[in-house]
Amino acid sequence: MALIKTLVCLANSRKLSGRCVAGMVDDDSKEWVRPVSARLNREVSAHERQYEDGTDPNVLDIVSVPLLRPQEHNFQSENWLLDPNYYWKKTGVAGWRGLLKLEQRPSALWINGSSTYHGSNDHTPVEEAATLPDSLKLIRVPDLALHTHVPGLMFGDQRRVLRARFSYKGHEYILRVTDPQYEQEYAAKPEGVYKLGESFLTVSLGEPFEGYVYKLVAAIIERVKTQASGRR
């Protein structure tokens, strides 16, 4: 029998052939929940995450999600196995004030000091990541820059990549963005750096890849856009 948890959706990000959905329980606990499937890579299909009318959950939706049991996987302690036999249900929408109540203030985004060529503090060796207690953070940054570019062009790779640049608690970060709405929006723009204002970021640790675990910006929530929609 399914257990229902009501979440503020804080990520519906791209993951392989599906999505990585995550949110905090809509109370004062700041408990993270990442609904996952029973498949090998745990991504959530469109069928598994849809509302009864066939639409997809948006970031900031308040969603009732049917779950079966906790399904911790390495450092991804927030994972819960979803029940694919029931629709998710939207019960409301959160605003900026609601996000302020959920804000986390870690001293750093897990372990720093390891970077890719185009990133900064953007990955951690698998053996170090195995010691971490969690894999999701919701932080607020006063300024954010998005860099869209084609890093593999000289090797014939035409894929465009979006990265987020920001400073947090004295550390500089350049992290890959997997928020599909921002990826789509900035894919249509010329290559370059775009400045944004105050924003919340959902930062997630992805699956291990070639010996590293990557820090990903799974959702971007701009204050100006959130308040312009009337959700204070």
Short mmCIF file of all heavy atoms in Angstrom, two decimals, residues 150-176:
data_model
loop_
_atom_site.label_atom_id
_atom_site.label_comp_id
_atom_site.label_asym_id
_atom_site.label_seq_id
_atom_site.Cartn_x
_atom_site.Cartn_y
_atom_site.Cartn_z
N VAL A 150 29.86 25.37 -26.58
CA VAL A 150 30.01 24.05 -27.21
C VAL A 150 31.44 23.60 -26.94
O VAL A 150 32.34 23.79 -27.77
CB VAL A 150 29.72 24.11 -28.73
CG1 VAL A 150 29.74 22.71 -29.34
CG2 VAL A 150 28.36 24.77 -28.98
N PRO A 151 31.70 23.00 -25.79
CA PRO A 151 33.08 22.72 -25.39
C PRO A 151 33.80 21.70 -26.26
O PRO A 151 35.02 21.70 -26.35
CB PRO A 151 32.93 22.19 -23.95
CG PRO A 151 31.53 21.69 -23.87
CD PRO A 151 30.73 22.60 -24.76
N GLY A 152 33.05 20.83 -26.94
CA GLY A 152 33.69 19.79 -27.75
C GLY A 152 33.74 20.10 -29.23
O GLY A 152 33.99 19.20 -30.05
N LEU A 153 33.53 21.37 -29.60
CA LEU A 153 33.43 21.72 -31.01
C LEU A 153 34.67 21.34 -31.80
O LEU A 153 34.58 20.82 -32.91
CB LEU A 153 33.16 23.23 -31.14
CG LEU A 153 32.91 23.74 -32.57
CD1 LEU A 153 31.70 23.06 -33.18
CD2 LEU A 153 32.73 25.25 -32.56
N MET A 154 35.87 21.56 -31.23
CA MET A 154 37.10 21.26 -31.96
C MET A 154 37.29 19.75 -32.18
O MET A 154 38.11 19.34 -33.00
CB MET A 154 38.30 21.84 -31.22
CG MET A 154 38.57 21.26 -29.86
SD MET A 154 39.93 22.11 -29.00
CE MET A 154 41.29 21.82 -30.12
N PHE A 155 36.50 18.95 -31.47
CA PHE A 155 36.56 17.49 -31.64
C PHE A 155 35.36 16.97 -32.43
O PHE A 155 35.13 15.76 -32.50
CB PHE A 155 36.63 16.81 -30.28
CG PHE A 155 37.78 17.27 -29.43
CD1 PHE A 155 37.56 18.09 -28.34
CD2 PHE A 155 39.09 16.91 -29.73
CE1 PHE A 155 38.61 18.54 -27.55
CE2 PHE A 155 40.15 17.35 -28.95
CZ PHE A 155 39.91 18.17 -27.87
N GLY A 156 34.59 17.90 -33.01
CA GLY A 156 33.44 17.51 -33.81
C GLY A 156 32.17 17.27 -33.03
O GLY A 156 31.16 16.83 -33.58
N ASP A 157 32.18 17.59 -31.73
CA ASP A 157 31.00 17.40 -30.88
C ASP A 157 30.21 18.71 -30.87
O ASP A 157 30.66 19.71 -30.34
CB ASP A 157 31.43 17.01 -29.46
CG ASP A 157 30.25 16.63 -28.58
OD1 ASP A 157 29.10 16.95 -28.93
OD2 ASP A 157 30.49 16.02 -27.51
N GLN A 158 29.02 18.68 -31.48
CA GLN A 158 28.21 19.89 -31.63
C GLN A 158 27.29 20.17 -30.44
O GLN A 158 26.54 21.15 -30.46
CB GLN A 158 27.34 19.75 -32.89
CG GLN A 158 28.11 19.54 -34.17
CD GLN A 158 28.75 20.83 -34.67
OE1 GLN A 158 28.30 21.92 -34.34
NE2 GLN A 158 29.79 20.71 -35.48
N ARG A 159 27.35 19.34 -29.43
CA ARG A 159 26.40 19.50 -28.32
C ARG A 159 26.69 20.76 -27.50
O ARG A 159 27.81 21.02 -27.12
CB ARG A 159 26.45 18.27 -27.40
CG ARG A 159 25.82 17.03 -28.00
CD ARG A 159 25.97 15.84 -27.09
NE ARG A 159 27.37 15.46 -26.96
CZ ARG A 159 27.79 14.43 -26.25
NH1 ARG A 159 26.93 13.68 -25.59
NH2 ARG A 159 29.08 14.14 -26.17
N ARG A 160 25.61 21.50 -27.25
CA ARG A 160 25.72 22.72 -26.45
C ARG A 160 25.56 22.38 -24.97
O ARG A 160 24.74 21.53 -24.61
CB ARG A 160 24.64 23.71 -26.89
CG ARG A 160 24.72 25.08 -26.23
CD ARG A 160 23.62 25.96 -26.75
NE ARG A 160 23.85 26.33 -28.14
CZ ARG A 160 24.31 27.51 -28.54
NH1 ARG A 160 24.60 28.44 -27.65
NH2 ARG A 160 24.47 27.78 -29.81
N VAL A 161 26.34 23.02 -24.14
CA VAL A 161 26.33 22.77 -22.71
C VAL A 161 26.03 24.07 -21.97
O VAL A 161 26.51 25.14 -22.36
CB VAL A 161 27.69 22.19 -22.26
CG1 VAL A 161 27.79 22.14 -20.74
CG2 VAL A 161 27.90 20.80 -22.84
N LEU A 162 25.24 23.97 -20.92
CA LEU A 162 24.92 25.13 -20.08
C LEU A 162 25.52 24.90 -18.71
O LEU A 162 25.32 23.85 -18.08
CB LEU A 162 23.41 25.29 -19.97
CG LEU A 162 22.91 26.53 -19.22
CD1 LEU A 162 23.30 27.81 -19.95
CD2 LEU A 162 21.39 26.47 -19.04
N ARG A 163 26.29 25.89 -18.24
CA ARG A 163 26.90 25.81 -16.91
C ARG A 163 26.51 27.03 -16.08
O ARG A 163 26.33 28.13 -16.60
CB ARG A 163 28.42 25.72 -17.02
CG ARG A 163 28.91 24.36 -17.49
CD ARG A 163 30.44 24.26 -17.45
NE ARG A 163 30.89 22.88 -17.58
CZ ARG A 163 31.07 22.24 -18.72
NH1 ARG A 163 30.86 22.87 -19.86
NH2 ARG A 163 31.46 20.98 -18.75
N ALA A 164 26.39 26.80 -14.77
CA ALA A 164 26.07 27.87 -13.82
C ALA A 164 27.34 28.28 -13.10
O ALA A 164 28.09 27.43 -12.61
CB ALA A 164 25.02 27.39 -12.83
N ARG A 165 27.59 29.59 -13.03
CA ARG A 165 28.73 30.13 -12.31
C ARG A 165 28.22 30.96 -11.14
O ARG A 165 27.40 31.86 -11.32
CB ARG A 165 29.58 31.04 -13.22
CG ARG A 165 30.18 30.35 -14.43
CD ARG A 165 30.97 31.37 -15.24
NE ARG A 165 31.67 30.77 -16.36
CZ ARG A 165 32.45 31.45 -17.20
NH1 ARG A 165 32.60 32.76 -17.05
NH2 ARG A 165 33.05 30.83 -18.20
N PHE A 166 28.72 30.66 -9.94
CA PHE A 166 28.28 31.40 -8.76
C PHE A 166 29.29 31.21 -7.64
O PHE A 166 30.13 30.31 -7.66
CB PHE A 166 26.89 30.94 -8.30
CG PHE A 166 26.81 29.48 -7.96
CD1 PHE A 166 26.97 29.03 -6.65
CD2 PHE A 166 26.56 28.53 -8.94
CE1 PHE A 166 26.90 27.69 -6.33
CE2 PHE A 166 26.48 27.17 -8.63
CZ PHE A 166 26.65 26.76 -7.33
N SER A 167 29.19 32.10 -6.66
CA SER A 167 30.01 32.02 -5.46
C SER A 167 29.11 31.68 -4.29
O SER A 167 28.01 32.24 -4.16
CB SER A 167 30.72 33.35 -5.22
OG SER A 167 31.48 33.31 -4.03
N TYR A 168 29.58 30.76 -3.44
CA TYR A 168 28.79 30.38 -2.28
C TYR A 168 29.72 30.12 -1.10
O TYR A 168 30.62 29.27 -1.19
CB TYR A 168 27.94 29.13 -2.58
CG TYR A 168 27.10 28.71 -1.41
CD1 TYR A 168 25.95 29.42 -1.06
CD2 TYR A 168 27.47 27.62 -0.63
CE1 TYR A 168 25.20 29.06 0.04
CE2 TYR A 168 26.71 27.25 0.47
CZ TYR A 168 25.57 27.97 0.81
OH TYR A 168 24.83 27.61 1.90
N LYS A 169 29.52 30.87 -0.01
CA LYS A 169 30.31 30.73 1.22
C LYS A 169 31.82 30.79 0.94
O LYS A 169 32.60 30.03 1.48
CB LYS A 169 29.95 29.43 1.94
CG LYS A 169 28.50 29.36 2.44
CD LYS A 169 28.25 30.35 3.58
CE LYS A 169 26.83 30.28 4.09
NZ LYS A 169 26.52 29.10 4.90
N GLY A 170 32.20 31.70 0.03
CA GLY A 170 33.60 31.91 -0.25
C GLY A 170 34.20 30.95 -1.25
O GLY A 170 35.41 31.03 -1.55
N HIS A 171 33.40 30.06 -1.81
CA HIS A 171 33.88 29.09 -2.79
C HIS A 171 33.29 29.42 -4.17
O HIS A 171 32.12 29.81 -4.28
CB HIS A 171 33.49 27.66 -2.41
CG HIS A 171 33.96 27.24 -1.05
ND1 HIS A 171 35.28 26.94 -0.79
CD2 HIS A 171 33.29 27.08 0.12
CE1 HIS A 171 35.41 26.59 0.47
NE2 HIS A 171 34.22 26.68 1.06
N GLU A 172 34.10 29.27 -5.20
CA GLU A 172 33.63 29.49 -6.57
C GLU A 172 33.21 28.16 -7.18
O GLU A 172 33.91 27.15 -7.06
CB GLU A 172 34.73 30.13 -7.42
CG GLU A 172 35.14 31.51 -6.95
CD GLU A 172 34.01 32.52 -6.99
OE1 GLU A 172 33.21 32.48 -7.96
OE2 GLU A 172 33.91 33.35 -6.06
N TYR A 173 32.05 28.18 -7.84
CA TYR A 173 31.53 26.97 -8.47
C TYR A 173 31.18 27.24 -9.93
O TYR A 173 30.62 28.29 -10.27
CB TYR A 173 30.27 26.48 -7.75
CG TYR A 173 30.51 26.02 -6.33
CD1 TYR A 173 30.36 26.90 -5.26
CD2 TYR A 173 30.89 24.71 -6.06
CE1 TYR A 173 30.57 26.48 -3.95
CE2 TYR A 173 31.11 24.28 -4.76
CZ TYR A 173 30.95 25.17 -3.71
OH TYR A 173 31.18 24.75 -2.42
N ILE A 174 31.51 26.29 -10.77
CA ILE A 174 31.01 26.26 -12.15
C ILE A 174 30.48 24.85 -12.36
O ILE A 174 31.25 23.88 -12.46
CB ILE A 174 32.10 26.59 -13.18
CG1 ILE A 174 32.72 27.96 -12.91
CG2 ILE A 174 31.51 26.55 -14.60
CD1 ILE A 174 33.87 28.32 -13.85
N LEU A 175 29.15 24.71 -12.41
CA LEU A 175 28.51 23.41 -12.43
C LEU A 175 27.62 23.25 -13.66
O LEU A 175 27.00 24.21 -14.13
CB LEU A 175 27.65 23.21 -11.18
CG LEU A 175 28.28 23.48 -9.81
CD1 LEU A 175 27.28 23.17 -8.70
CD2 LEU A 175 29.56 22.70 -9.63
N ARG A 176 27.55 22.05 -14.15
CA ARG A 176 26.68 21.72 -15.28
C ARG A 176 25.21 21.88 -14.87
O ARG A 176 24.82 21.51 -13.75
CB ARG A 176 26.95 20.27 -15.72
CG ARG A 176 26.16 19.80 -16.93
CD ARG A 176 26.81 20.25 -18.22
NE ARG A 176 26.11 19.68 -19.37
CZ ARG A 176 26.53 18.62 -20.05
NH1 ARG A 176 27.66 18.00 -19.69
NH2 ARG A 176 25.87 18.16 -21.08
#
